[in-house]
Amino acid sequence: MWQKSVCVALLALATGYVFLLDPELPDSVLEYFSGSFLYQLQGNLVSPESSMAAAWDALITRPAKQWNRVAVGVNACVDVVLSGVKLLQALGLDSGDGQDHSVLHSITDLKEAFIHFMGKGAAAERFFSDADSFHHIAQAASEYPGAQLYVGGNAALIGQKIATNSNLKVLLCGPIGPKLHELLDENIIVPPESLQQLDEFHLILEYQSGEEWGKLRAPNANRFIFSHDLSNGAMNMLEVFVSSLEEFQPDLVVLSGLHMMEGQTKEIRQKRLLEAVASISDIPTDIPIHLELASMTDPDLMSEIIHQQVFPVVNSIGLNEQELLFLTQAASGPHALLASWNGVPDVGVVSDILFWILKEHGRTPEKASDLTRIHFHTLAYHLLATVDGYWANQVAAVAAGARVAGTQACATKAIDASRVFLKAPLEFATSKMEATSTVSLNPNEPVSEWHKDGITFHYTPVLICKDPLRTVGLGDAISAEGLLYSEIYPH
């Protein structure tokens, strides 16, 4: 037995030395220092990944009262995914010098911006202002051999995920053209007012690590996204969505697409946001509303979403680590001076920010806000925070969200322990702002729970897919799955 203890100690010493020499180790190296290796050294025949998957399956139980009718809106589009270099070549363009453009006005702007970001290996998203040119490019892209067309837009992706449950009726409202309608699950109900003659296409131009075009060479794989999306940008379908609810009679509403308004002028955006709040406020108070946030770069828009009464009229929020940090920076919340995450987001820091959101903008004895739940997800772990007395079955909800992250990324029906790995911290403090408890990872009991001043936190690691087949829409699937296993108490 002492020999194994010595081995573990030597491994810890060697690992520390390697990290000292190169703290930026890639995930592929970290996999070999994961819990599996340590468990095998200690004589455990079952890997922590297998233990965790089995424990999740036991914990994930349906709530006593389940949703029957879910209404989802309002951003929807068709994602066209293909090789950026091949598309530009098919359009008769040659490689050249790159230059960034905040807005793309022509095919030349597109080429220059693509080259600029491909040379850096950086992701970017831009608006294409010329409708005719964009539709010409979109048609060429969608017809290009090897181009893949997918359901896109947070609302459509969430609706698509929820619709896999055949016992649920799903209403999807958004700008839905013929191709998107064809791609949607047959269980999804689309109001006639949502149908339009043309699809909203988002073109996703991919490039691979080391790919060359003329003198250009990509340092790593990434993607450049552009669109001429006026319907989603103005949230044109919001009023149609709200008016459809009276006939559909949902018991849960899921809303997304506020981030798409970044392309609007500040005056138009503020007016539209006030109209959005008025529309959302028309939804009967006994129907819970979940708001799914998405990537934003304009701190003014995030601040307006927080302060112009959007948060108080929704019951639940879903977001990732970039959106959470951007939110606290825009609103001068806790840890707002943190410029960016360094590796896996610190659980204590995340916990502090979630606690602050619910205390400042959620339901308290002094505030009549409806916000009582936040589902946070990042690559390595998930954290659900709820105001006590409002939500049930959150152990199952956070576990279900984490499980679907592994199965959907790997395209498997169940967790395959040989294809996933742990990257979550083995131990962490539940807060960075005050002295609190420390939580240690136990694969046999993967959901940890703690309480603070009327708020309960549920935490679980994620089993990360080693070779993901598709990551687009993963956050939407996580939030959808967490909602499916959640129950709200009537008030």
Side-chain angles (χ1 to χ4, degrees):
M1 186 69 188
W2 65 267
Q3 292 98 328
K4 288 176 184 171
S5 298
V6 170
C7 284
V8 171
L10 288 172
L11 175 66
L13 185 63
T15 303
Y17 183 66
V18 170
F19 269 85
L20 183 66
L21 291 175
D22 186 2
E24 300 294 328
L25 285 174
D27 289 347
S28 57
V29 176
L30 290 175
E31 291 169 33
Y32 293 99
F33 293 100
S34 70
S36 300
F37 191 50
L38 291 171
Y39 268 62
Q40 287 161 11
L41 275 175
Q42 293 167 352
N44 292 304
L45 298 178
V46 180
S47 71
E49 290 85 0
S50 296
S51 299
M52 192 173 296
W56 277 342
D57 289 341
L59 289 171
I60 298 172
T61 56
R62 293 284 179 181
K65 185 181 179 183
Q66 299 179 43
W67 317 112
N68 295 307
R69 304 173 73 83
V70 182
V72 189
V74 290
N75 63 323
C77 66
V78 176
D79 281 344
V80 184
V81 184
L82 74 164
S83 162
V85 171
K86 289 179 180 176
L87 173 64
L88 294 176
Q89 287 176 332
L91 293 169
L93 298 170
D94 296 319
S95 183
D97 296 328
Q99 181 182 344
D100 188 15
H101 298 276
S102 58
V103 175
L104 309 178
H105 299 289
S106 66
I107 196 168
T108 303
D109 286 356
L110 168 63
K111 183 191 83 166
E112 290 175 351
F114 177 80
I115 290 171
H116 173 79
F117 287 104
M118 180 177 170
K120 293 176 177 292
E125 185 165 356
R126 293 291 181 267
F127 179 76
F128 199 107
S129 64
D130 187 292
D132 291 338
S133 293
F134 177 80
H135 290 310
H136 166 68
I137 298 167
Q139 184 173 356
S142 59
E143 294 174 354
Y144 189 84
Q148 297 174 300
L149 274 62
Y150 298 103
V151 171
N154 307 87
L157 287 163
I158 290 172
Q160 193 83 333
K161 181 62 182 175
I162 293 174
T164 58
N165 295 263
S166 56
N167 58 326
L168 279 172
K169 294 208 176 297
V170 180
L171 175 82
L172 173 63
C173 194
I176 297 170
K179 174 52 72 173
L180 178 56
H181 204 190
E182 177 189 319
L183 292 170
L184 289 174
D185 190 288
E186 60 184 12
N187 288 330
I188 291 178
I189 300 166
V190 178
E193 299 84 354
S194 277
L195 298 174
Q196 55 184 43
Q197 290 184 335
L198 296 175
D199 283 283
E200 296 288 0
F201 286 102
H202 287 204
L203 304 191
I204 302 175
L205 307 189
E206 294 187 321
Y207 49 86
Q208 303 306 314
S209 178
E211 185 173 354
E212 296 180 353
W213 188 26
K215 297 179 181 179
L216 181 67
R217 189 175 190 275
N220 52 265
N222 222 316
R223 54 181 57 188
F224 181 85
I225 304 172
F226 67 104
S227 67
H228 179 80
D229 192 339
L230 299 178
S231 296
N232 286 307
M235 292 189 75
N236 284 343
M237 291 295 169
L238 180 60
E239 285 78 11
V240 172
F241 178 53
V242 174
S243 66
S244 302
L245 301 182
E246 187 173 354
E247 182 182 346
F248 183 68
Q249 292 290 304
D251 42 27
L252 172 66
V253 166
V254 182
L255 179 66
S256 67
L258 293 178
H259 65 287
M260 294 294 296
M261 289 195 289
E262 277 196 324
Q264 306 290 329
T265 66
K266 188 169 184 178
E267 292 73 21
I268 293 175
R269 195 173 65 201
Q270 287 178 335
K271 179 176 178 290
R272 195 73 186 105
L273 203 54
L274 289 171
E275 291 169 349
V277 171
S279 293
I280 297 167
S281 300
D282 287 339
I283 299 172
T285 54
D286 61 333
I287 302 175
I289 303 169
H290 173 84
L291 173 66
E292 190 68 17
L293 294 177
S295 177
M296 282 184 256
T297 59
D298 188 336
D300 289 338
L301 176 58
M302 179 62 89
S303 182
E304 288 160 7
I305 289 171
I306 298 167
H307 294 117
Q308 288 196 16
Q309 301 303 302
V310 178
F311 277 18
V313 296
V314 301
N315 305 81
S316 172
I317 291 173
L319 76 177
N320 67 17
E321 74 280 7
Q322 300 303 331
E323 293 137 21
L324 184 75
L325 184 58
F326 191 64
L327 188 158
T328 197
Q329 290 169 344
S332 301
H335 309 290
L337 296 179
L338 184 66
S340 62
W341 300 109
N342 183 19
V344 176
D346 189 293
V347 180
V349 171
V350 170
S351 175
D352 289 338
I353 301 172
L354 297 182
F355 180 81
W356 167 77
I357 295 171
L358 288 175
K359 282 298 180 185
E360 283 293 315
H361 304 284
R363 174 68 64 91
T364 66
E366 297 79 30
K367 290 190 182 72
S369 170
D370 290 329
L371 180 59
T372 50
R373 177 183 184 271
I374 306 175
H375 190 170
F376 169 84
H377 47 85
T378 187
L379 181 68
Y381 66 87
H382 296 172
L383 185 58
L384 245 173
T386 51
V387 178
D388 292 349
Y390 288 88
W391 293 86
N393 212 46
Q394 295 304 279
V395 170
V398 75
R403 183 175 67 179
V404 81
T407 56
Q408 182 157 312
C410 281
T412 55
K413 289 186 176 180
I415 292 288
D416 181 345
S418 67
R419 296 178 60 186
V420 295
F421 71 101
L422 275 166
K423 195 180 176 182
L426 300 179
E427 190 175 82
F428 60 86
T430 58
S431 173
K432 285 293 181 180
M433 297 178 69
E434 55 188 60
T436 51
S437 59
T438 299
V439 174
S440 299
L441 174 66
N442 179 357
N444 295 307
E445 297 177 5
V447 177
S448 303
E449 181 178 328
W450 65 90
H451 307 267
K452 181 181 176 183
D453 195 17
I455 293 172
T456 298
F457 295 86
H458 290 98
Y459 163 95
T460 192
V462 172
L463 294 175
I464 303 168
C465 186
K466 293 176 183 176
D467 298 302
L469 299 178
R470 181 163 163 79
T471 58
V472 174
L474 203 54
D476 301 309
I478 290 162
S479 287
E481 198 78 352
L483 286 168
L484 285 173
Y485 284 90
S486 292
E487 178 183 356
I488 191 168
Y489 294 124
H491 281 268

